[in-house]
């Protein structure tokens, strides 16, 4: 009753309350009110206090981490992604590109940072809003890298068409977008069908555009069947087309069991495979 009364009072303009800070119910009410009223930016204090703690009646929540992060300080790209700071991630990427190869920035910094975020999400120390913010920060960094890469060489003669798609049911596209930029950088003409793409769209585009190579991405165990179905339909209706697959949940062995022609661990592997496919078409191998 006290905690609810407190929330109502806050809602009605109470700005200085004398309460017992050791009361779990009162503190929950206070922290929740701040988060819901937009007074706790990105719900950071709330998350720092309660993440990883199982909420249960009668349980005392003690010693939440303090939110003493100096956002103004020059955080690294990895930290900016993990903390979901979009603007800083872009700046950090730009700084790194002065000294590091773009691929090293992606593989050595962005991917490991996203991996840590993913593990935290799995363990319950990171919540979905944070995952979203980290993804946004990674996208921003990636946009900076993409611009840098495209200055290098998009206007060379095209080597051939490649379709890319994240399979139906799956909205993860950061990895696929990296593959796209790299393929484009190596002068392939990429038809990017986006994410959550039905098998029929992939097949129809492959037939209509006479594309010899299709790349499919799936990041979840639940969407691998959708990848399998896309491959099945491609084999049935566009039998000459080669299919390369990628995404964190796949392995070389599993890719074979769903009849993909190639498994690509990372974006560079997709370029190497595409080079081989198109060299084969030209009779070079
Ligand atoms: C960022 C992220 C998100 C973002 C996606 C933003 C976006 N626009 O992509 C958001 C927040 C939206 C999100 C949502 C969800 N996510 Co998520 N997400 C992640 C996270 C943290 C990172 C993925 C990533 O971008 N990695 C970095 C890129 C560069 O790596 P990559 O994709 O593997 O790509 C490289 C290679 O694999 C390869 N590759 C990839 N694709 C392709 C394709 C081709 C053709 C080729 C050749 C190569 C290739 O090359 C790439 C570059 O080197 C992962 C955790 C993880 N560690 O993977 C979870 C993760 C994938 N998500 C997960 C889940 C469960 C979800 C949600 C269901 C959560 C929810 N409850 O709503 C939703 C999914 C909704 C849906 N229907 O798809 C789980 C999946 C678990 C599982 N095993 O099935 C993971 C593993 C987190 C976890 N550990 O629980 N997610």
């Amino acid at each position: 009753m006290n905690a609810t009364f407190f929330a109502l009072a806050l809602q009605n303009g109470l700005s200085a309350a004398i309460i017992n800070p050791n009361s779990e119910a009162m503190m929950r009410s206070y922290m929740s009110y701040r988060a819901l009223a937009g007074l706790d930016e990105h719900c950071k204090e709330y998350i720092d206090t309660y993440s990883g703690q199982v909420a249960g009646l009668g349980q005392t929540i003690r010693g939440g981490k303090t939110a003493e992060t100096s956002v103004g300080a020059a955080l690294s790209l990895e930290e900016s992604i993990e903390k979901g700071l979009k603007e800083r991630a872009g700046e950090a990427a730009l700084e790194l590109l002065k000294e590091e190869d773009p691929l090293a920035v992606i593989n050595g910094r962005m991917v490991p940072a996203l991996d840590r975020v993913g593990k935290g999400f799995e363990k319950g120390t990171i919540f979905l809003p944070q995952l979203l913010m980290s993804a946004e920060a990674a996208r921003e960094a990636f946009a900076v890298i993409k611009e840098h890469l495209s200055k290098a060489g998009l206007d060379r003669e095209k080597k051939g068409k490649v379709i890319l798609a994240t399979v139906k049911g799956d909205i993860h596209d950061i990895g696929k977008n990296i593959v796209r930029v790299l393929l484009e950088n190596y002068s392939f003409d990429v038809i990017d069908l986006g994410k959550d793409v039905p098998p029929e769209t992939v097949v129809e585009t492959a037939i209509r555009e006479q594309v010899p190579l299709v790349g499919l991405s799936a990041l979840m165990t639940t969407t691998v069947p959708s990848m399998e179905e896309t491959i099945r339909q491609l084999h049935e209706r566009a039998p000459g087309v080669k299919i390369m697959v990628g995404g964190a949940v796949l392995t070389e062995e599993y890719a074979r069991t769903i009849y993909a022609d190639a498994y690509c661990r990372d974006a560079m592997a997709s370029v190497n495979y595409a080079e081989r496919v198109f060299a084969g078409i030209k009779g070079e191998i």
Side-chain angles (χ1 to χ4, degrees):
M1 181 67 87
N2 278 347
T4 305
F5 177 71
F6 181 37
L8 291 172
L10 286 168
Q11 176 70 6
N12 282 284
L14 175 68
S15 60
I18 302 173
I19 59 157
N20 175 8
N22 290 321
S23 158
E24 183 198 328
M26 293 300 275
M27 289 314 285
R28 270 185 196 277
S29 188
Y30 174 68
M31 299 296 283
S32 307
Y33 174 79
R34 285 183 54 79
L36 294 170
L39 300 170
D40 173 6
E41 204 184 347
H42 297 325
C43 301
K44 194 167 178 342
E45 284 171 35
Y46 184 89
I47 289 167
D48 281 343
T49 307
Y50 295 121
S51 62
Q53 306 195 14
V54 182
L57 281 176
Q59 174 202 11
T60 310
I61 294 182
R62 283 187 220 103
K65 286 169 250 148
T66 49
E68 292 289 312
T69 319
S70 53
V71 173
L75 294 180
S76 68
L77 175 60
E78 294 92 316
E79 285 171 316
S80 327
I81 291 177
E82 285 175 58
K83 291 185 193 303
L85 303 171
K86 190 171 156 186
E87 239 170 77
R88 177 61 205 147
E91 289 163 10
L94 201 60
E95 285 158 20
L96 282 169
L97 288 171
K98 290 183 193 141
E99 289 152 24
E100 278 183 31
D101 178 64
L103 264 189
V105 178
I106 293 173
N107 291 331
R109 295 177 184 277
M110 281 177 62
V111 174
L114 280 167
D115 265 348
R116 284 192 289 276
V117 175
K119 293 212 173 85
F121 181 66
E122 216 168 322
K123 277 194 268 161
T125 54
I126 282 178
F127 300 146
L128 193 58
Q130 288 166 292
L131 190 66
L132 276 165
M133 280 162 54
S134 290
E136 273 300 304
R139 278 173 83 95
E140 182 67 24
F142 182 59
V144 170
I145 297 172
K146 182 173 168 178
E147 208 185 302
H148 182 87
L149 273 171
S150 43
K151 281 189 196 135
L154 277 178
D155 15 298
R156 277 175 262 146
E157 195 192 328
K158 295 282 185 253
K159 290 178 186 157
K161 285 184 192 171
V162 182
I163 288 178
L164 286 183
T166 300
V167 299
K168 190 167 164 51
D170 202 319
I171 60 158
H172 295 87
D173 66 356
I174 297 177
K176 170 188 70 62
N177 293 345
I178 293 176
V179 172
R180 171 187 179 161
V181 170
L182 220 67
L183 283 170
E184 285 181 341
N185 205 246
Y186 277 81
S187 302
F188 291 98
D189 188 2
V190 177
I191 302 174
D192 186 349
L193 297 177
K195 54 198 174 186
D196 190 15
V197 183
E200 296 74 21
T201 310
V202 177
V203 176
E204 279 150 24
T205 314
I207 295 170
R208 191 180 60 245
E209 300 283 336
Q210 300 188 330
V211 179
L213 177 59
V214 170
L216 299 174
S217 184
L219 267 281
M220 299 193 292
T221 32
T222 48
T223 53
V224 177
S226 180
M227 176 178 264
E228 189 172 3
E229 174 59 16
T230 311
I231 295 176
R232 194 192 63 73
Q233 291 196 22
L234 274 168
H235 282 324
E236 195 178 287
R237 294 175 54 201
V241 173
K242 295 279 183 210
I243 304 158
M244 60 179 172
V245 294
V249 287
L250 293 173
T251 60
E252 176 113 48
E253 199 190 354
Y254 195 80
R256 250 194 311 258
T257 67
I258 57 174
Y259 303 105
D261 295 293
Y263 162 71
C264 299
R265 214 174 60 84
D266 56 29
M268 202 53 222
S270 75
V271 171
N272 294 337
Y273 183 68
E275 298 277 14
R276 287 218 308 277
V277 169
F278 285 92
I281 291 169
K282 288 190 194 140
E284 288 167 16
I285 52 170

